[in-house]
Amino acid sequence: MALLETSKYSQGSVLGSVNPDLASERQTASFCVEKLTALLDGGTEQTRIRRAVVEAIQSDPVFSRENQYFQTQNERYEAAVRKAVHLQKKMHEMGWTENGPEYKYIYRALSGDVAFLLHRVFMRSISVLGSDKQIAKWIPLATQHKLIGSYAQTELGHGTYLQGLETTAVFDTATQEFILNTPKISAMKWWPGDMGRSATHTVVFAQLYIHGKCYGIHPFIVQIRSLQDHSLCPGITAGDIGPKMNFEHIDNGYLLLKNVRIPRENMLSKFCEVRPDGTYVRQGSQQINYFTMTTVRISLISDEVLTPLMKACTIAIRYSAVRRQSKLKPGEQEAKILDYQTQQEKLLPQLAAAYAFHFVNDYLQELFNRGYGEIQRKNFDMLPELHALSSGFKAVITQQCTAGVEICLRACGGHGYSLLSGLPSLYTKIIASCIYEGENTILLLQTARFLLKCFMAANAGQPVPPSVTYLAAVKHGKCPAKNKLDFLSPDIYTEAYQHVAVRLTSSAAAKLQDLIQSGVKKHDAWNQCTVQLVQAAKAHCHYIAVKNFAETVEKLETKADIQKIMKHLCDLFALHGIFSNTGAFLHDGYISAAQIDMVTASYLDLLAVIRKDAVPLVDAFDFTDKSLNSALGSYDGQVYQRLYEWAQKSPTNQMSPAYERYLKPLLHNTLSKL
Amino acid sequence: MALLETSKYSQGSVLGSVNPDLASERQTASFCVEKLTALLDGGTEQTRIRRAVVEAIQSDPVFSRENQYFQTQNERYEAAVRKAVHLQKKMHEMGWTENGPEYKYIYRALSGDVAFLLHRVFMRSISVLGSDKQIAKWIPLATQHKLIGSYAQTELGHGTYLQGLETTAVFDTATQEFILNTPKISAMKWWPGDMGRSATHTVVFAQLYIHGKCYGIHPFIVQIRSLQDHSLCPGITAGDIGPKMNFEHIDNGYLLLKNVRIPRENMLSKFCEVRPDGTYVRQGSQQINYFTMTTVRISLISDEVLTPLMKACTIAIRYSAVRRQSKLKPGEQEAKILDYQTQQEKLLPQLAAAYAFHFVNDYLQELFNRGYGEIQRKNFDMLPELHALSSGFKAVITQQCTAGVEICLRACGGHGYSLLSGLPSLYTKIIASCIYEGENTILLLQTARFLLKCFMAANAGQPVPPSVTYLAAVKHGKCPAKNKLDFLSPDIYTEAYQHVAVRLTSSAAAKLQDLIQSGVKKHDAWNQCTVQLVQAAKAHCHYIAVKNFAETVEKLETKADIQKIMKHLCDLFALHGIFSNTGAFLHDGYISAAQIDMVTASYLDLLAVIRKDAVPLVDAFDFTDKSLNSALGSYDGQVYQRLYEWAQKSPTNQMSPAYERYLKPLLHNTLSKL
């Protein structure tokens, strides 16, 4: 343990030993933290590799994030470019490759604070959408960084609805070129990362026109800046879209195209080709393309959503164990705020959610791998289910983790509000995940559409994908729980969640049918049901999450201590969901009011139980101090010293011209005034 | 209307006329916007004064906020100091005084973006806590800005629990001085505004020691910087606490005191005095002091909490009327996102809450004025009720308005995430209101303690304050609503809210008593009930808010069109509360599941009704474009042009050294690497 304490210590200043209030929390852990870490990593070997990557990255001063909270947007951008360039060197030095086992830990170790992430998306889109010839031409150039790529899809006036994009690419048979234009201001490309200042090339999505006929959205490789001097190419207007809530390190950009001509060969043509005479040819199946969005949504959950929540929990829980405020018992010293029931009720459900969603992520990864295997065998049957689950969970997890980070921030009071706590930047970053890669409401409605379809099919006796077979089995029973301990049985609560998901799906379906039968047009009827459809989709995901957590716990039988604490967290996750949404369970009497009181009692009991292991449970996430970059969350819990030392380095403690210019004339009454 | 359009136009760039999608929303208003504005202002004369102040402030370039989103923390601070100094001149020019009718509009017109706010708190604390002699000495100095004051209460380790403050003031009879010390790092003063870089003096709260005996917390005037050259005084260490989530313009500071000696006369001594021989004398009643917190909590609601929510609603609703995305009906053009039920369900309840809380604020102001009158007559009977209501509503309103701003931000998708939308800064600022001036959970527990006390008293037949007499009348009936239209009756839903508030209070009281009777110690029992006590306090405030809204609507009978739309908003506010918290109403069967379905139906119907007036309802808030400072929310709805023009001015579009330093060597393969 001594070794760990040293290795986790950081943030530049030399402080004393571990705060005794934090040390005492670790002495009573009911389980082995190291074992739980290995479980989360997927094995001790993974833990070893991850730690080696973290050590290599975080010991390199170029990758330091210590000044991050003091930097301007320009400084953040420049640092991110510097890190991206340095990373190339580092990877070579360390022998890391893009296909190696270390790769997935690199981005995490950098906390995403690096440029050229869109360069990878540029490469992936060429690999997926390009012909063999195009791949052979562009991928080596990109790999060797002879160009910097971006990905220009979203427009100022168009996000989610791709068919609405207004950028045009008109084929000119005479010159064998496409002529690209953003004909209106709303057609301007807006948001693409790395495009504002860095990229030399980008993949532009545009409406293809041949001989006056529109063939819909297609991708085109467009050079936007000179490879010689980085000046903008003819017909190109581009720049940075300015300040954002976070992502200051990324140069999200805008792009105007005015009669930009590109050769015919620059339309990515794995699936569609334009022949020299203007003939349009479709080839192969585009279904794999549809799979790409699924890939992205699943892959962002871990790094962009779970990691921030885990970090926020670590910071808030460690802080709550060292912060003392007010007295619980008269005559005693002030109490740790973690001992207040209201503080436990804020933080511990977030901790349980972090674990629950970690296991959901494992589940989705496994499902995804299976689906990918099937697709390789040209079997696309799993796609709709995969799409529905990845969409729904992207929405539910981003939403709940964002709310969780906000709760952690507020639970740290004033100190949580300081950027030095690390919490504001976690929040301002994670909230974007609710919007990008599919706006959450729209995604939930896609899940709901799938649910409705499966509900109809299941009730017509047709086969449905495994995750929704439960929709066929509408049960009209009641929850059998007789006392509060019964609610610690996974069967009891999983069944309750299932019941609610079925009820909400079936009642949304019934409302939709009633409306249509009463003469409301289909699209209007759909719109009038959307609030309830969103509820159904959420209930479905919540049910799967609870069920999956319970099943995961069951499989841990060889690790008794870990299993026990995970069981508590699973119970808490499930009961918190009921406690905070009692109406859904009470509505048709499946759970009675007396049973809700039992849920409440068990839920509050669990808070006190899990509170005892709260610090070890966040220690198991195994973040270094440098990863957390937080004055409140450090492993040693020396909160006040760290805040003070760090604040002193702030640029706001440099000399300001405000005194000579304004304060002195005011105080010396030499303002020419009054 | 033409005049208004011009006068509301701003943001530096010259754009065309009003976006037709927005203009059409205004043509169908069911009520007179100008009349509603006057109602919100409290009369047409108030509207006139407010607009004159706004015009005078916003036409003065020194007060411009246009570059705010591009500025560093240092630049923000310097601008705020400049504005504060300029404001003195402006007030003189305009003939505005601190007691004049214009005064309350000045801060609002500046959007709070000005320094020296704590100077006023410094003055107020001397006026309230100082002797006549102290007032005569310090107030003129402060008024003439011969010093700049601050207010140093919060410490690094101590916030809410004042008794826990660790700063000491030891009386030295030999020199007739107090010796002030911050003996530990956790005792350091931390957070006081204007203290980091500006203040010359501050009121320090410290534990008073005389002859070794502690007399508790007292206030002392301490000079911290030289009036000559602004250097720190002997024994003083002070500076800025660094970057925060918002409030970059304020120099929140830290302060260490090492054997700082101040004369005996510097202890504020209206209520307590230390005589030359060290005798400690209490005098007068401190109850008025207790009243100060109430004042602050009520006064912050309007400017710091309601205004941001109203601005966020204005921005998000105008944007939703011009943003078109996806198709509602096949074959038609893309739909305004405001036409989607899910978008309405996000935004319109926030709009209803803004109005509901505006009227709660009126109610609290009136109650406060009445209470103040009583106190002047030495009658302190109203204090406990006033304290409970101001605490509870401070918590409930800050919490709900913060959530509302976040919903507005997310409802604007990617563009809401740009600082240029104005929404991120509204959010990062309003969230602080949940923490400052009493952390919300602690305030709710104070309200709950009052509720419990009154509940016991009422049920023992003793008299209780007017706002809680309902606690005596526990009814066991059922909600009489028979169809969805019945839920548009204020009696029906107000009664339901009342029922829930009584039930939650009585069940928390019962649980507390049961625990104590079963042998749990009182403080432990209290802690074990706090989650439920918080629920009871919230339910109480929610009930009062609904009841007050309904009563306000009733009084509007002379203004039929306004009354009608306010009635819709009142209904929406009430039904949204039931819809999003059905369990509370279903729990004991007061409302049945069938009735909840009626609530849902009426609630969803209302969304479609209010949607028609959504833009006029935000227009009535009467924000100028300069107040909103938002590319999405301008009166003319020219969203895309404004985003583009504004982004081009961002410092991120200046030359960056990143190209020469990193990108060029990378692209030209001249990095000494690989």
Side-chain angles (χ1 to χ4, degrees):
Chain A
M1 215 51 179
L3 184 79
L4 255 185
E5 282 171 27
T6 318
S7 78
K8 298 218 177 182
Y9 164 70
S10 153
Q11 215 49 264
S13 60
V14 178
L15 292 173
S17 52
V18 175
N19 183 317
D21 277 341
L22 196 53
S24 70
E25 299 284 337
R26 293 180 173 127
Q27 280 157 8
T28 53
S30 78
F31 61 94
C32 170
V33 171
E34 188 67 15
K35 264 195 213 163
L36 182 52
T37 298
L39 175 74
L40 290 168
D41 279 325
T44 49
E45 176 59 9
Q46 289 297 317
T47 301
R48 193 193 58 74
I49 297 172
R50 178 178 56 73
R51 285 181 179 159
V53 170
V54 167
E55 170 60 24
I57 296 277
Q58 296 186 347
S59 63
D60 186 331
V62 175
F63 295 122
S64 168
R65 293 163 61 228
E66 199 184 339
N67 288 320
Q68 181 178 313
Y69 305 131
F70 300 145
Q71 288 175 326
T72 65
Q73 192 176 356
N74 276 339
E75 289 164 346
R76 291 289 304 278
Y77 163 70
E78 281 147 25
V81 170
R82 180 179 178 215
K83 288 179 192 181
V85 171
H86 186 69
L87 183 61
Q88 299 307 315
K89 199 173 147 193
K90 192 83 189 178
M91 288 185 62
H92 182 71
E93 253 175 48
M94 301 296 298
W96 297 336
T97 65
E98 301 229 349
N99 305 315
E102 297 89 358
Y103 198 74
K104 68 171 170 174
Y105 299 121
I106 296 173
Y107 176 80
R108 205 177 300 174
L110 292 165
S111 295
D113 204 20
V114 65
F116 307 159
L117 298 176
L118 269 288
H119 186 67
R120 298 194 65 219
V121 178
F122 173 83
M123 288 173 72
R124 193 176 53 207
S125 36
I126 293 173
S127 305
V128 174
L129 305 172
S131 65
D132 292 345
K133 206 170 153 190
Q134 289 170 324
I135 294 172
K137 174 179 174 184
W138 293 100
I139 296 298
L141 290 172
T143 308
Q144 295 159 47
H145 286 97
K146 291 192 174 166
L147 56 81
I148 298 165
S150 171
Y151 182 86
Q153 181 179 296
T154 303
E155 296 177 356
L156 196 37
H158 301 273
T160 314
Y161 184 66
L162 288 192
Q163 290 111 293
L165 294 178
E166 294 178 301
T167 302
T168 56
V170 177
F171 186 58
D172 179 355
T173 39
T175 62
Q176 292 290 302
E177 289 171 320
F178 295 104
I179 310 166
L180 277 83
N181 275 290
T182 45
K184 300 159 73 176
I185 189 158
S186 54
M188 188 187 310
K189 295 296 177 185
W190 194 267
W191 274 114
D194 296 333
M195 196 175 75
R197 315 177 83 165
S198 298
T200 60
H201 289 67
T202 190
V203 173
V204 170
F205 285 79
Q207 303 283 0
L208 170 65
Y209 283 86
I210 310 172
H211 301 316
K213 187 182 162 192
C214 181
Y215 289 83
I217 292 300
H218 289 73
F220 302 85
I221 298 179
V222 181
Q223 181 171 352
I224 59 173
R225 287 187 178 91
S226 153
L227 288 170
Q228 264 333 97
D229 63 6
H230 219 238
S231 60
L232 291 170
C233 294
I236 301 285
T237 306
D240 186 278
I241 64 166
K244 297 150 294 184
M245 208 166 176
N246 197 312
F247 291 93
E248 295 100 332
H249 62 295
I250 301 291
D251 54 323
N252 296 95
Y254 61 80
L255 175 68
L256 279 160
L257 302 161
K258 196 168 176 191
N259 293 324
V260 173
R261 289 178 168 266
I262 57 168
R264 190 178 62 88
E265 292 74 25
N266 277 23
M267 182 175 108
L268 291 175
S269 55
K270 182 164 193 168
F271 303 111
C272 314
E273 197 189 349
V274 179
R275 298 250 167 93
D277 65 350
T279 313
Y280 178 83
V281 189
R282 255 185 208 290
Q283 53 209 2
S285 160
Q286 286 213 39
Q287 285 197 275
I288 184 77
N289 192 11
Y290 180 67
F291 190 62
T292 317
M293 291 184 303
T294 305
T295 318
V296 175
R297 277 174 204 144
I298 294 178
S299 70
L300 73 87
I301 291 174
S302 169
D303 288 348
E304 306 298 341
V305 190
L306 290 180
T307 302
L309 178 61
M310 289 170 172
K311 285 183 180 177
C313 286
T314 306
I315 295 167
I317 287 174
R318 286 184 185 159
Y319 175 68
S320 298
V322 302
R323 175 73 173 188
R324 288 178 174 273
Q325 188 76 12
S326 214
K327 298 190 179 183
L328 258 176
K329 304 185 190 185
E332 287 195 354
Q333 76 172 134
E334 291 187 58
K336 292 178 175 184
I337 57 174
L338 193 53
D339 285 324
Y340 291 96
Q341 190 188 48
T342 47
Q343 187 76 351
Q344 294 165 10
E345 213 269 328
K346 289 173 192 173
L347 299 180
L348 302 185
Q350 313 320 319
L351 181 62
Y355 277 93
F357 294 140
H358 173 85
F359 296 125
V360 167
N361 186 47
D362 285 351
Y363 162 79
L364 290 175
Q365 288 291 351
E366 199 195 303
L367 203 71
F368 172 82
N369 291 339
R370 229 170 342 116
Y372 191 65
E374 290 300 316
I375 285 165
Q376 306 283 52
R377 286 189 285 280
K378 305 278 177 207
N379 173 9
F380 299 103
D381 291 354
M382 276 182 73
L383 269 182
E385 183 185 30
L386 209 48
H387 175 67
L389 280 170
S390 65
S391 301
F393 272 118
K394 185 273 182 184
V396 165
I397 296 178
T398 56
Q399 154 81 40
Q400 289 205 24
C401 291
T402 299
V405 172
E406 198 212 18
I407 290 168
C408 290
L409 187 155
R410 282 170 50 178
C412 293
H415 293 322
Y417 193 76
S418 164
L419 291 200
L420 304 180
S421 75
L423 292 164
S425 65
L426 289 173
Y427 177 77
T428 53
K429 197 168 182 191
I430 196 175
I431 192 178
S433 70
C434 297
I435 300 163
Y436 62 58
E437 296 303 338
E439 194 276 330
N440 280 354
T441 304
I442 292 166
L443 292 182
L444 287 166
L445 287 173
Q446 293 187 5
T447 305
R449 204 177 277 279
F450 169 80
L451 283 180
L452 247 53
K453 221 166 136 180
C454 293
F455 177 77
M456 306 294 190
N459 284 288
Q462 291 158 15
V464 292
S467 62
V468 285
T469 46
Y470 77 94
L471 291 174
V474 189
K475 288 168 206 150
H476 293 284
K478 304 261 179 201
C479 172
K482 301 229 178 323
N483 56 55
K484 69 174 183 179
L485 295 180
D486 286 346
F487 277 103
L488 303 180
S489 152
D491 287 346
I492 297 277
Y493 54 68
T494 305
E495 193 97 352
Y497 273 94
Q498 187 188 93
H499 182 85
V500 169
V502 174
R503 182 177 64 75
L504 290 173
T505 303
S506 86
S507 77
K511 179 178 171 184
L512 187 63
Q513 259 178 332
D514 286 354
L515 283 170
I516 292 169
Q517 274 166 14
S518 73
V520 180
K521 286 197 181 138
K522 220 170 165 178
H523 45 264
D524 283 332
W526 176 263
N527 192 25
Q528 288 173 38
C529 292
T530 46
V531 166
Q532 285 145 305
L533 286 164
V534 164
Q535 288 182 329
K538 285 182 180 171
H540 169 69
C541 292
H542 212 152
Y543 158 59
I544 305 269
V546 167
K547 181 165 155 271
N548 180 66
F549 201 163
E551 287 169 0
T552 304
V553 170
E554 213 165 299
K555 285 182 214 141
L556 294 172
E557 52 191 1
T558 55
K559 306 171 181 115
D561 58 338
I562 302 281
Q563 188 180 40
K564 194 171 162 202
I565 186 69
M566 288 298 111
K567 167 72 167 57
H568 289 321
L569 284 175
C570 178
D571 294 346
L572 187 75
F573 178 71
L575 298 190
H576 175 256
I578 302 177
F579 174 76
S580 24
N581 194 16
T582 56
F585 297 84
L586 282 166
H587 191 276
D588 63 351
Y590 181 81
I591 290 193
S592 69
Q595 285 171 325
I596 288 291
D597 294 342
M598 297 170 198
V599 167
T600 303
S602 263
Y603 167 63
L604 296 175
D605 288 349
L606 273 171
L607 292 177
V609 171
I610 294 169
R611 180 259 168 273
K612 292 181 202 148
D613 276 319
V615 169
L617 280 167
V618 297
D619 284 351
F621 295 143
D622 202 32
F623 292 115
T624 63
D625 285 1
K626 284 185 179 175
S627 301
L628 294 175
N629 209 21
S630 161
L632 306 191
S634 62
Y635 190 81
D636 66 7
Q638 299 292 1
V639 168
Y640 301 136
Q641 286 90 332
R642 198 157 272 130
L643 270 171
Y644 178 44
E645 291 182 10
W646 206 345
Q648 286 172 281
K649 296 178 194 161
S650 167
T652 52
N653 282 311
Q654 293 158 5
M655 276 294 288
S656 165
Y659 174 67
E660 288 292 333
R661 275 190 209 153
Y662 312 115
L663 292 176
K664 191 173 168 188
L666 180 74
L667 288 165
H668 291 199
N669 201 15
T670 54
L671 286 173
S672 57
K673 63 144 198 179
L674 304 188
Chain B
M1 212 56 177
L3 184 81
L4 254 184
E5 281 173 24
T6 319
S7 79
K8 297 217 175 181
Y9 165 70
S10 158
Q11 213 51 273
S13 60
V14 178
L15 291 175
S17 53
V18 174
N19 183 318
D21 277 342
L22 196 53
S24 69
E25 298 283 337
R26 293 180 174 128
Q27 281 156 8
T28 52
S30 77
F31 62 93
C32 170
V33 171
E34 188 67 15
K35 266 196 211 160
L36 182 52
T37 298
L39 175 74
L40 291 168
D41 279 325
T44 49
E45 176 59 10
Q46 290 296 315
T47 301
R48 193 192 59 74
I49 298 171
R50 179 178 54 74
R51 284 183 180 158
V53 170
V54 167
E55 170 59 24
I57 296 278
Q58 294 187 347
S59 64
D60 186 330
V62 175
F63 295 122
S64 168
R65 293 161 62 227
E66 199 184 339
N67 288 320
Q68 181 177 313
Y69 305 131
F70 299 145
Q71 288 175 324
T72 65
Q73 192 175 356
N74 276 339
E75 289 164 347
R76 290 290 304 278
Y77 163 71
E78 282 148 24
V81 170
R82 181 179 176 217
K83 288 180 193 181
V85 171
H86 187 68
L87 183 60
Q88 298 306 314
K89 201 173 144 194
K90 192 85 189 174
M91 287 185 62
H92 182 68
E93 253 175 49
M94 301 296 299
W96 297 335
T97 65
E98 301 229 349
N99 305 315
E102 295 88 0
Y103 197 75
K104 68 172 169 173
Y105 299 121
I106 296 173
Y107 177 79
R108 205 179 300 173
L110 291 165
S111 294
D113 203 21
V114 63
F116 306 159
L117 299 176
L118 270 287
H119 186 67
R120 298 195 65 217
V121 179
F122 174 82
M123 288 172 72
R124 193 175 52 207
S125 37
I126 293 173
S127 305
V128 174
L129 305 172
S131 65
D132 293 343
K133 206 171 152 189
Q134 288 170 324
I135 293 173
K137 174 178 176 184
W138 294 100
I139 296 298
L141 291 172
T143 307
Q144 296 159 47
H145 284 100
K146 292 193 174 164
L147 56 79
I148 297 166
S150 171
Y151 182 86
Q153 180 179 297
T154 304
E155 297 176 356
L156 197 38
H158 301 273
T160 314
Y161 184 67
L162 289 191
Q163 291 111 294
L165 293 178
E166 294 177 301
T167 301
T168 57
V170 177
F171 186 59
D172 180 354
T173 39
T175 62
Q176 293 292 301
E177 289 172 321
F178 294 105
I179 309 164
L180 277 84
N181 274 291
T182 44
K184 300 159 72 177
I185 189 157
S186 54
M188 188 187 310
K189 295 295 175 184
W190 194 267
W191 274 113
D194 296 333
M195 196 174 75
R197 316 175 84 164
S198 299
T200 60
H201 289 67
T202 191
V203 172
V204 170
F205 284 80
Q207 304 282 0
L208 168 65
Y209 283 86
I210 310 171
H211 302 316
K213 185 181 163 193
C214 181
Y215 288 83
I217 292 300
H218 289 72
F220 303 84
I221 298 179
V222 180
Q223 181 172 353
I224 59 172
R225 288 187 178 91
S226 155
L227 287 169
Q228 263 334 96
D229 63 5
H230 219 236
S231 61
L232 292 170
C233 294
I236 302 285
T237 306
D240 186 280
I241 64 166
K244 297 151 293 187
M245 206 166 176
N246 197 313
F247 291 90
E248 296 101 332
H249 62 294
I250 301 291
D251 54 322
N252 296 94
Y254 60 81
L255 174 68
L256 281 160
L257 301 160
K258 195 167 177 191
N259 294 324
V260 173
R261 288 178 169 267
I262 58 168
R264 189 178 63 87
E265 293 72 25
N266 277 22
M267 183 173 108
L268 290 175
S269 55
K270 182 166 196 167
F271 302 111
C272 315
E273 196 189 349
V274 178
R275 300 249 167 94
D277 66 349
T279 312
Y280 178 83
V281 188
R282 254 184 210 288
Q283 52 210 2
S285 160
Q286 286 212 36
Q287 284 195 276
I288 184 77
N289 192 11
Y290 180 66
F291 190 62
T292 316
M293 290 185 304
T294 305
T295 318
V296 175
R297 275 172 205 147
I298 293 179
S299 70
L300 72 87
I301 290 175
S302 170
D303 289 348
E304 306 299 339
V305 191
L306 290 181
T307 301
L309 179 60
M310 289 172 174
K311 286 184 180 175
C313 286
T314 306
I315 296 168
I317 287 175
R318 286 185 185 160
Y319 175 67
S320 298
V322 302
R323 175 72 173 187
R324 289 179 173 273
Q325 188 75 13
S326 214
K327 299 190 179 185
L328 258 174
K329 304 186 189 183
E332 288 194 355
Q333 74 171 135
E334 291 187 57
K336 292 178 174 184
I337 57 175
L338 193 53
D339 286 323
Y340 291 96
Q341 190 189 48
T342 45
Q343 187 76 352
Q344 294 164 10
E345 214 269 327
K346 289 174 191 172
L347 299 180
L348 302 185
Q350 312 321 318
L351 181 61
Y355 276 93
F357 294 141
H358 173 84
F359 297 125
V360 167
N361 187 47
D362 286 349
Y363 161 80
L364 291 175
Q365 288 292 351
E366 200 195 301
L367 203 72
F368 172 81
N369 291 338
R370 221 158 4 105
Y372 191 66
E374 291 300 316
I375 285 165
Q376 305 283 53
R377 287 190 284 278
K378 304 278 175 206
N379 172 8
F380 300 103
D381 290 355
M382 277 183 72
L383 271 181
E385 184 185 29
L386 210 47
H387 176 66
L389 279 170
S390 66
S391 301
F393 272 118
K394 185 274 182 183
V396 165
I397 296 179
T398 56
Q399 154 83 41
Q400 289 204 26
C401 291
T402 300
V405 172
E406 198 212 19
I407 290 170
C408 290
L409 187 155
R410 281 170 51 179
C412 293
H415 294 322
Y417 193 76
S418 164
L419 291 201
L420 304 180
S421 76
L423 292 164
S425 64
L426 289 173
Y427 177 77
T428 53
K429 197 169 182 191
I430 196 175
I431 192 178
S433 71
C434 297
I435 301 163
Y436 61 57
E437 296 303 337
E439 195 276 330
N440 280 354
T441 303
I442 291 166
L443 291 183
L444 287 167
L445 288 172
Q446 294 188 4
T447 305
R449 204 178 278 278
F450 169 80
L451 283 180
L452 247 52
K453 221 168 139 181
C454 294
F455 176 78
M456 306 296 191
N459 284 286
Q462 292 158 12
V464 293
S467 63
V468 285
T469 46
Y470 76 96
L471 290 174
V474 189
K475 288 167 206 150
H476 293 285
K478 304 261 178 200
C479 172
K482 301 230 178 326
N483 56 54
K484 70 176 181 178
L485 295 179
D486 286 347
F487 277 104
L488 304 180
S489 154
D491 287 347
I492 297 277
Y493 55 68
T494 306
E495 194 96 350
Y497 273 94
Q498 186 188 94
H499 182 87
V500 169
V502 174
R503 181 177 65 75
L504 290 172
T505 304
S506 85
S507 78
K511 178 176 171 185
L512 188 63
Q513 258 179 333
D514 286 355
L515 284 169
I516 292 169
Q517 274 166 15
S518 74
V520 180
K521 287 197 181 139
K522 219 169 165 180
H523 45 262
D524 282 333
W526 175 263
N527 191 26
Q528 287 173 38
C529 292
T530 47
V531 166
Q532 286 145 304
L533 286 163
V534 165
Q535 288 182 330
K538 284 182 181 171
H540 169 67
C541 293
H542 212 153
Y543 159 60
I544 305 270
V546 167
K547 181 163 155 273
N548 180 66
F549 201 162
E551 288 169 358
T552 304
V553 170
E554 214 166 301
K555 286 182 215 142
L556 294 172
E557 51 191 6
T558 56
K559 305 171 183 114
D561 58 338
I562 303 279
Q563 188 179 42
K564 196 173 160 199
I565 186 70
M566 288 299 109
K567 168 71 167 58
H568 288 321
L569 283 175
C570 178
D571 294 346
L572 187 75
F573 179 71
L575 298 191
H576 175 256
I578 303 177
F579 175 77
S580 21
N581 194 15
T582 56
F585 297 84
L586 281 166
H587 190 275
D588 64 353
Y590 181 81
I591 289 191
S592 69
Q595 286 172 324
I596 287 292
D597 293 342
M598 297 171 202
V599 167
T600 303
S602 264
Y603 168 62
L604 296 175
D605 288 349
L606 274 170
L607 292 177
V609 171
I610 294 169
R611 180 258 170 271
K612 291 181 203 148
D613 276 320
V615 169
L617 280 166
V618 297
D619 284 351
F621 295 143
D622 202 33
F623 292 116
T624 62
D625 284 2
K626 284 184 178 173
S627 300
L628 294 175
N629 209 20
S630 160
L632 305 190
S634 62
Y635 190 80
D636 67 6
Q638 299 292 1
V639 168
Y640 301 136
Q641 287 90 331
R642 198 156 272 128
L643 271 171
Y644 178 43
E645 291 182 9
W646 206 345
Q648 285 172 283
K649 298 178 194 160
S650 167
T652 52
N653 282 310
Q654 294 158 2
M655 277 295 289
S656 165
Y659 175 67
E660 287 293 332
R661 276 192 208 150
Y662 313 115
L663 292 176
K664 191 173 168 186
L666 180 74
L667 288 164
H668 291 200
N669 201 16
T670 55
L671 288 171
S672 57
K673 61 145 198 180
L674 305 187

